[in-house]
Amino acid sequence: MSDIPTSADPSTAPITPRLLATELVCDRGGRRVLDGASFAVGGDTAADNVLFVTGPNGVGKSTLLRLVAGLGTLESGEIRLTAGGGAVTGAEVAEACHYLGHRDALKTALTVSENLAFWRDFLAPPPVGAGAGHPALELDEALAAVDLDALADLPAGLLSAGQRRRLAVARLLVVQRPLWLLDEPTSALDAASEARLVALMAAHAAAGGLIMAATHLPINLPGRSLVLRPAAVAREAFA
Amino acid sequence: MSDAPTERAAPLLAPLAALYRRELRLAVRIGGGGFMGVLFFLIVVTVFPFAVGPDMNLLARLGPAVLWIAALLATLLGLDRLFEADRDDGALDIIVGSGQPLELVVLVKCLAHWTATGLPLVLATPFFALFLAMEPLVIGATMLTLAVGTPALTFIGAIGAGLTVSLRRGGLLLAVLVLPFAVPVLIFGVSAAGAPALDPAPFATPFLLLCALTLATLVLAPIAAAAALRSGLD
Amino acid sequence: MFQRLTALANPTRFLGLVERLGPWLVGLTLALFAVGLYGSLVLAPPDYQQGETVRIMFIHVPAAWLAMFTYALMAVSALGTLVWRHPLADVSAKAAAPLGAAFTFLALVTGSLWGKPMWGTWWIWDARLTSVLVLFIMYLGLIALWRTIEDPTRAARLAAILILVGTVNLPIIKFSVDWWNTLHQPASVMRLDGPTIDPSMLWPLLVMALAFTSLLTTLHLYAMRNEILRRRIRSLGLAAAAGTAS
């Protein structure tokens, strides 16, 4: 992790991504889940680059992350990602994201390295913010970073839940993208793995990358928080 | 921003090739992909004479139709997992945000699915045709029409797979939604396949119409299926 | 013009419209049917070839016409769902589907009833009958899709996509079935469109067509109203659930 460029000196890291969401309104299944959520991620310090999304169950934490990842429809509002003079909105923001959801997006019939190699070859470089955040690692480096290098040729179906989670995390390391969206990233991880993940997150934020993490377990990382509250009413379209 | 599209358009084939390889690998490793399809194909062809009777003349006349119906069912029944597996394990979420056009992703998945399941059916056709006492020329015509026509069935089925991806056990609904659209493919396919047996019947007309259908579905189905996938995401 | 349309597209305003127009439309439909049925069943002469059987045509032809018209209506609604994302567009398409299926079914049944004396069999794989049968199956498939997907907004978009795919495909299916039919049954089928229709039979047919259109409009408006009310109940239920949860 020593070769990661730090963003402390602004002259070496001119690409400073910023995520700006304004007045997001989202309905799911006829129910208003988000009712005007606004937030910004990204600043001068690594702590400003990390946003923890918290709140009670069912309040829309996952929905919010999925919206940024392009997996949902906004009724109104805008999500905008700027970096190094470029800007994208809407679905294109998703292409600058690494989304780590509840499911690990692994094929049990493929080996650990085949799974990872596919995502490395398939994921396009980000439309903006190339160079910000955790740099892309080689396959074996990424597997080593999540302590799976010994299992590279094993079918992913044989891995435990925690190991699968780590393999999913390795996906974020083989393609560089400026924005990480992590939905309960520490679930299923033991203490050592969690410490490793937090170190990776810290490195990403220190390198100018942005992180949005939905969590209800405290994560040992400096960052800002966004507390979501339940949306006031069900949708009005037919009322 | 201005140079971004050209910069990103160039490496389009490598990711899609990676997807194609992954799909083929999965098809071979899980459930033997093509093997199940061919087995189903064999069973339908075997069951038919029990229903129709062992009259070889009648079977020879029905041959192309039997093979086509068997291929239609084998293709459609295998298609409900086309997107479902990726949805279940969350891979679809990542694919949508991958930066690759979803329409092309659908197209590549269809092509891979056809390579794994449709192509073995085509290759198995001559052997199963022997059960049905078909003429060599008719066997050749049937093989050719199946080779050209089964991709169209896969593409049409992909629309249904996209529509039913969010449903548990969407297989039956998929068949109901998609079978009407398969009617033209079946008509032209069977007509062309049976043409050599009936002297005056032309082969070229239905065969070219079948080719046109395949090309049209190749363009339209990925658009519709991708739209359906996007709608089913949240 | 567009503003007036969007104003109508407000569900509450739409319900008000249904309340005001509904009774008039019911009256108009009844009057048209009274005139049309009297004209077709009593006044119109029996056909010199088909005898009294021809009277089935006064039901069959308008039903078949509306079977296709309803699909066109759904296609426009589907565009409304996908392009303008208006909730009423989906209500319109969803309300129209069972009506379209019913008209198609009516066309099939009356065609079959007419076919028994004329062709000596209940069903014949005539190109038109076959096309209409495929259309019927497509209506049922759409209804099945709406019924299986719980989330109304998702169902709306998926159904709209399927409707549009069907719009592209229907002419192709029609063409292929025509082609298939001429291949297998060269000119053995008697067609209605031989001699021109006598005015004494034409005017009841046109009145019946108007009556059926009016019937469709009436039923569609009321079906849309019911669907809106159904969704309001769902909204109220969701609000109640949200109220107790928080």
Side-chain angles (χ1 to χ4, degrees):
Chain A
M1 243 119 283
S2 55
D3 56 341
I4 292 162
T6 61
S7 64
D9 181 3
S11 61
T12 56
I15 324 145
T16 47
R18 298 279 183 276
L19 180 73
L20 194 67
T22 37
E23 290 293 317
L24 305 185
V25 178
C26 174
D27 292 337
R28 254 188 108 185
R31 187 196 300 268
R32 179 135 298 174
V33 186
L34 290 174
D35 198 7
S38 296
F39 57 87
V41 195
D44 297 328
T45 66
D48 289 333
N49 287 346
V50 181
L51 183 72
F52 294 111
V53 184
T54 57
N57 276 342
V59 80
K61 299 190 291 284
S62 296
T63 306
L64 182 61
L65 289 193
R66 289 179 67 83
L67 274 177
V68 179
L71 306 168
T73 329
L74 276 176
E75 297 298 311
S76 63
E78 189 194 52
I79 301 171
R80 169 182 290 268
L81 181 70
T82 59
V88 287
T89 57
E92 271 192 286
V93 174
E95 297 167 21
C97 294
H98 271 307
Y99 172 69
L100 184 68
H102 293 279
R103 292 165 299 181
D104 296 324
L106 302 176
K107 293 294 173 201
T108 49
L110 300 182
T111 67
V112 167
S113 59
E114 280 172 345
N115 266 301
L116 200 53
F118 167 69
W119 290 122
R120 179 198 61 195
D121 298 337
F122 186 71
L123 295 176
V128 295
H134 202 294
L137 301 180
E138 290 300 316
L139 221 57
D140 43 354
E141 292 173 330
L143 285 176
V146 294
D147 196 21
L148 282 177
D149 41 350
L151 308 177
D153 295 325
L154 221 57
L158 301 182
L159 300 187
S160 70
Q163 288 167 328
R164 287 182 197 201
R165 197 74 185 152
R166 274 146 57 195
L167 180 51
V169 169
R171 185 182 76 231
L172 316 191
L173 306 177
V174 290
V175 173
Q176 178 271 326
R177 285 188 165 188
L179 174 55
W180 287 8
L181 304 169
L182 314 175
D183 200 347
E184 304 288 354
T186 53
S187 67
L189 292 184
D190 56 25
S193 307
E194 184 177 335
R196 217 179 287 113
L197 173 64
V198 171
L200 289 171
M201 289 166 69
H204 180 70
L210 308 180
I211 296 175
M212 273 181 78
T215 175
H216 53 247
L217 301 168
I219 292 182
N220 183 20
L221 187 72
R224 291 185 288 180
S225 330
L226 171 72
V227 183
L228 290 182
R229 283 172 229 299
V233 281
R235 71 183 285 185
E236 310 256 321
F238 285 95
Chain B
M1 214 24 218
S2 57
D3 61 337
T6 50
E7 182 193 318
R8 299 178 69 224
L12 191 61
L13 280 179
L16 295 178
L19 178 66
Y20 185 78
R21 280 196 305 274
R22 176 184 90 138
E23 295 295 315
L24 275 192
R25 260 194 204 131
L26 288 173
V28 171
R29 291 187 197 169
I30 304 177
F35 175 72
M36 275 300 278
V38 172
L39 189 60
F40 185 81
F41 195 45
L42 171 66
I43 285 171
V44 174
V45 171
T46 314
V47 160
F48 225 87
F50 292 123
V52 179
D55 176 358
M56 277 317 213
N57 287 329
L58 183 64
L59 284 177
R61 205 152 57 79
L62 292 177
V66 174
L67 289 175
W68 256 93
I69 288 180
L72 173 73
L73 294 177
T75 308
L76 287 188
L77 290 180
L79 268 173
D80 58 330
R81 292 292 292 171
L82 184 62
F83 304 117
E84 208 180 40
D86 277 333
R87 188 197 150 86
D88 288 349
D89 63 20
L92 191 59
D93 294 345
I94 316 293
I95 288 174
V96 166
S98 66
Q100 316 300 342
L102 196 53
E103 287 79 10
L104 288 182
V105 169
V106 171
L107 179 65
V108 169
K109 279 181 80 81
C110 288
L111 290 177
H113 187 271
W114 181 80
T115 316
T117 61
L119 192 58
L121 293 188
V122 175
L123 297 178
T125 304
F127 303 101
F128 297 167
L130 295 178
F131 288 145
L132 301 169
M134 286 161 62
E135 302 282 328
L137 202 58
V138 179
I139 295 178
T142 308
M143 235 182 125
L144 195 58
T145 53
L146 280 176
V148 171
T150 43
L153 297 179
T154 306
F155 290 130
I156 292 171
I159 301 177
L163 289 171
T164 57
V165 68
S166 56
L167 306 174
R168 294 272 154 262
R169 293 184 297 148
L172 202 58
L173 181 63
L174 184 150
V176 169
L177 296 182
V178 153
L179 275 174
F181 299 132
V183 166
V185 180
L186 192 65
I187 287 177
F188 295 127
V190 175
S191 301
L198 315 161
D199 244 348
F203 173 78
T205 312
F207 184 71
L208 291 178
L209 284 169
L210 185 66
C211 296
L213 275 181
T214 303
L215 292 176
T217 52
L218 180 141
V219 176
L220 290 178
I223 296 173
L229 285 179
R230 285 200 189 92
S231 300
L233 279 175
D234 42 334
Chain C
M1 177 64 193
F2 188 70
Q3 276 196 335
R4 215 184 308 162
L5 271 181
T6 39
L8 273 184
N10 173 313
T12 309
R13 197 116 12 125
F14 180 82
L15 286 184
L17 179 84
V18 176
E19 291 308 315
R20 265 181 292 132
L21 273 186
W24 292 99
L25 275 171
V26 171
L28 177 69
T29 309
L30 288 176
L32 280 170
F33 264 111
V35 175
L37 284 174
Y38 186 72
S40 51
L41 297 185
V42 180
L43 291 185
D47 189 80
Y48 77 98
Q49 250 185 338
Q50 308 177 12
E52 299 290 343
T53 323
V54 77
R55 301 193 193 281
I56 294 177
M57 285 295 128
F58 293 112
I59 305 287
H60 175 76
V61 173
W65 188 63
L66 278 168
M68 281 175 280
F69 179 77
T70 310
Y71 199 90
L73 177 72
M74 287 169 64
V76 174
S77 306
L79 274 181
T81 303
L82 289 181
V83 179
W84 295 286
R85 298 166 139 257
H86 200 285
L88 263 193
D90 174 55
V91 170
S92 161
K94 191 176 178 184
L99 298 174
F103 282 119
T104 316
F105 184 69
L106 192 62
L108 282 173
V109 168
T110 50
S112 178
L113 286 175
W114 180 79
K116 180 64 183 165
M118 298 317 296
W119 295 329
T121 166
W122 294 112
W123 182 260
I124 192 163
W125 288 98
D126 166 56
R128 286 187 204 194
L129 288 181
T130 313
S131 297
V132 173
L133 180 64
V134 173
L135 180 64
F136 184 59
I137 295 173
M138 282 172 58
Y139 273 123
L140 295 187
L142 273 168
I143 295 172
L145 185 66
W146 261 302
R147 292 178 67 106
T148 1
I149 303 175
E150 220 170 295
D151 175 355
T153 47
R154 179 188 294 178
R157 276 175 293 173
L158 292 178
I161 292 168
L162 185 62
I163 292 170
L164 290 184
V165 170
T167 316
V168 176
N169 259 290
L170 271 174
I172 301 176
I173 295 174
K174 177 89 178 78
F175 167 74
S176 68
V177 169
D178 281 346
W179 190 87
W180 162 79
N181 191 251
T182 48
L183 184 74
H184 288 271
Q185 305 185 328
S188 70
V189 180
M190 186 167 49
R191 294 263 160 86
L192 244 192
D193 51 20
T196 47
I197 303 176
D198 188 80
S200 62
M201 288 162 90
L202 184 61
W203 76 260
L205 184 64
L206 289 180
V207 174
M208 283 303 282
L210 277 179
F212 267 75
T213 314
S214 173
L215 177 68
L216 171 70
T217 315
T218 314
L219 291 176
H220 189 226
L221 281 183
Y222 278 110
M224 280 179 75
R225 183 194 68 170
N226 292 348
E227 180 63 24
I228 289 173
L229 295 179
R230 216 171 283 136
R231 291 190 188 192
R232 280 193 175 174
I233 291 172
R234 189 184 139 90
S235 286
L236 289 175
L238 283 170
T244 52
S246 59

